[in-house]
């Protein structure tokens, strides 16, 4: 007479929720079984549980017992970190957003407000962009970004002086430049 006991644990709860479960698969002992959990439950499986420590005592028809402990852990919440590259100047499409995702359960899916599904975005002009990252467990994180331009070049007319007479080259224009990035010509 050989006894084998197999117990399987599945499905971790989302952080702070009671949607985890422990599913038992018991074999190699004399049926029927009785179950006694440290929660007071006498069911075979536990459903709608939060993270924590759980113990079960299984008793077969002959009175043989087996105990098993489980540690149910909530997955680590997803966190996004980003690196933004501003557009070089107003109207340029050379900005970008690079994402790093930590936590959750890989693989991740990406849905950008632009319709893109890649992890990172490039060739962006100044503007607002949103991302929704979903992990394999269905957890989701959303974040908004603003790409600005490094140079919001503005030119203002400060002073003009008309030519003294037709054909004379003595007129003047004085411009004011602001918002420039680096040198300008």
């Amino acid at each position: 007479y050989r006894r084998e006991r197999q117990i399987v644990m599945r499905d971790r709860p989302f952080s702070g929720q009671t949607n985890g479960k422990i599913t038992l698969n018991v074999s190699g002992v004399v049926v029927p079984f009785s179950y006694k959990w440290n929660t007071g439950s006498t069911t075979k499986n536990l459903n709608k549980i939060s993270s924590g420590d759980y113990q079960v005592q299984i008793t077969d028809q002959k009175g043989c017992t087996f105990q098993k402990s489980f540690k149910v852990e909530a997955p680590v919440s997803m966190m996004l970190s980003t690196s933004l590259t501003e557009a070089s100047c107003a109207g340029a499409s050379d900005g970008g957003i690079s994402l790093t995702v930590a936590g959750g359960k890989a693989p991740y899916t990406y849905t950008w407000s632009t319709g893109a599904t890649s992890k990172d975005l490039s060739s962006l002009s100044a503007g607002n962009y949103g991302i929704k990252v979903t992990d394999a467990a269905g957890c989701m994180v959303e974040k908004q970004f603003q790409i600005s331009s490094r140079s919001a070049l503005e030119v203002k007319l400060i002073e003009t002086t008309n030519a003294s007479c037709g054909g004379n080259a003595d007129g003047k224009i004085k411009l004011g430049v602001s918002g420039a990035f680096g040198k300008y010509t």
Side-chain angles (χ1 to χ4, degrees):
Y1 176 66
R2 182 175 173 215
R3 290 189 185 125
E4 292 181 21
R5 297 170 181 96
Q6 181 183 21
I7 300 178
V8 178
M9 181 179 78
R10 297 182 187 158
D11 296 334
R12 299 175 356 170
F14 299 134
S15 184
Q17 297 183 4
T18 56
N19 57 357
K21 66 181 177 179
I22 298 174
T23 303
L24 300 178
N25 180 9
V26 183
S27 62
V29 291
V30 181
V31 293
F33 310 109
S34 63
Y35 306 90
K36 184 175 181 183
W37 291 91
N38 63 324
T39 62
S41 176
T42 57
T43 61
K44 178 181 177 186
N45 304 316
L46 291 182
N47 294 305
K48 297 182 180 179
I49 58 175
S50 60
S51 58
D53 295 320
Y54 295 88
Q55 295 84 37
V56 64
Q57 179 177 320
I58 303 168
T59 306
D60 71 7
Q61 184 181 12
K62 290 189 173 187
C64 297
T65 62
F66 177 73
Q67 292 184 340
K68 181 72 177 177
S69 296
F70 300 97
K71 182 172 185 74
V72 177
E73 297 177 347
V76 177
S77 297
M78 277 192 301
M79 294 178 59
L80 300 180
S81 58
T82 57
S83 174
L84 302 178
T85 302
E86 296 177 320
S88 60
C89 57
S93 295
D94 56 359
I97 302 172
S98 177
L99 288 179
T100 302
V101 182
K105 184 178 180 183
Y108 307 107
T109 57
Y110 307 92
T111 307
W112 288 94
S113 56
T114 63
T117 57
S118 59
K119 179 179 165 230
D120 302 323
L121 285 184
S122 59
S123 302
L124 300 178
S125 57
N128 295 318
Y129 298 89
I131 180 71
K132 178 170 71 171
V133 180
T134 307
D135 73 358
C139 296
M140 179 179 49
V141 173
E142 293 184 83
K143 194 167 183 178
Q144 299 293 319
F145 305 97
Q146 182 178 12
I147 297 291
S148 56
S149 63
R150 290 183 284 184
S151 175
L153 185 62
E154 290 186 29
V155 179
K156 293 182 181 179
L157 180 61
I158 296 177
E159 181 183 333
T160 62
T161 304
N162 294 329
S164 59
C165 291
N168 289 347
D170 59 353
K172 295 179 185 176
I173 298 175
K174 184 176 181 183
L175 299 176
V177 179
S178 65
F181 179 75
K183 295 181 179 184
Y184 55 90
T185 57

